Amino acid sequence: MKVDFFFRILKYSGVPIFLLGSLAMGLVSCVDHARKEQENAMEQHIDSLYRLGISKIYTNPDSIRVLSNTIFQLATDHDRPRWRAKSLSMLGQAQLVQNNYAMALNYYYQALNIAIEHEDQQMLELIAEFYHRIGTISLMVGDYKEALENFLRAKAYYERQNKLEQNASVTLHIGSVYRNLENFERAMNYFNEAHDAFMYLNDVNG
């Protein structure tokens, strides 16, 4: 609307017609640049709030709710589903620190659902992470079936992204689940796979 109004003013201002297009396009470029700067500033603001929250998880986990709600609202208002998911996962971490396993799982499942709903290349890493964390909490509370299902899903996502270190870690956890289920043959297979992966990573990383 603003560009159209500007164009009509120029049309009757005596400016040569061949310049009108260039001037209008220049205005569009300026508007786009300003919008991108605003988006970048908002991204940095949300990121700083998230980092602040993460820094307080172990020292003041009760304060996380306010920060998480602020991030969630900003992310909703500015259409950033990735940050909505991360704000909920931060609440999950805070609950886990306080040994509120059921609440932690609840928040991680909410975060996972958002990530899956908006799955793209950027969300793949979060989806794998959330499956991994849900599996870890389920293992801690002795729900081995749930732990195994989530670890296997995390492993599949890590493999899609070629995340070697994370894949080795979740493979080790899968072995732990099978050991607890007394399926020692499968447990040893996964332990060996994890061992080989860590040895490879050690060689690559020096």
Side-chain angles (χ1 to χ4, degrees):
M1 180 66 71
K2 290 181 179 179
V3 173
D4 181 61
F5 177 70
F6 179 71
F7 186 87
R8 283 188 280 114
I9 290 175
L10 289 175
K11 183 176 180 181
Y12 297 105
S13 66
V15 177
I17 192 66
F18 67 87
L19 292 179
L20 294 179
S22 297
L23 290 168
M25 289 304 295
L27 179 61
V28 170
S29 178
C30 288
V31 171
D32 286 344
H33 179 71
R35 186 178 67 249
K36 287 177 182 178
E37 284 192 337
Q38 288 179 335
E39 289 176 354
N40 289 337
M42 179 55 64
E43 184 74 14
Q44 291 174 10
H45 177 54
I46 294 175
D47 182 67
S48 66
L49 291 174
Y50 179 79
R51 290 176 184 274
L52 177 62
I54 292 298
S55 72
K56 291 179 176 293
I57 280 180
Y58 292 99
T59 58
N60 191 9
D62 290 329
S63 69
I64 301 303
R65 180 174 296 279
V66 174
L67 281 167
S68 176
N69 288 343
T70 301
I71 293 169
F72 190 91
Q73 190 58 56
L74 286 170
T76 301
D77 293 343
H78 296 274
D79 192 25
R80 283 169 166 78
R82 178 171 166 271
W83 282 115
R84 281 197 292 137
K86 292 188 74 168
S87 71
L88 290 168
S89 75
M90 187 167 68
L91 276 175
Q93 285 180 262
Q95 292 298 321
L96 181 59
V97 167
Q98 299 175 87
N99 298 322
N100 297 327
Y101 300 120
M103 288 296 295
L105 284 171
N106 179 51
Y107 286 123
Y108 276 121
Y109 275 119
Q110 289 183 57
L112 176 63
N113 288 336
I114 291 173
I116 290 174
E117 181 182 352
H118 299 275
E119 181 175 332
D120 58 17
Q121 195 61 36
Q122 206 176 32
M123 282 291 198
L124 293 179
E125 188 171 354
L126 286 183
I127 293 172
E129 176 191 334
F130 296 156
Y131 275 132
H132 198 164
R133 289 182 181 273
I134 291 168
T136 301
I137 298 170
S138 299
L139 179 59
M140 291 170 68
V141 300
D143 189 346
Y144 301 133
K145 180 176 180 294
E146 192 71 15
L148 183 59
E149 288 179 359
N150 283 281
F151 283 148
L152 289 171
R153 288 171 181 155
K155 182 174 174 61
Y157 273 93
Y158 286 141
E159 288 174 349
R160 280 178 63 181
Q161 302 166 82
N162 199 32
K163 298 286 186 179
L164 301 181
E165 186 173 351
Q166 293 90 332
N167 190 30
S169 176
V170 79
T171 300
L172 188 63
H173 284 137
I174 293 170
S176 296
V177 175
Y178 278 120
R179 181 182 59 191
N180 285 314
L181 291 171
E182 298 185 357
N183 189 332
F184 300 113
E185 182 178 353
R186 282 197 172 182
M188 188 56 64
N189 289 338
Y190 280 101
F191 285 145
N192 287 336
E193 181 184 339
H195 174 267
D196 291 344
F198 282 122
M199 290 296 292
Y200 171 78
L201 287 167
N202 185 59
D203 289 342
V204 169
N205 296 327

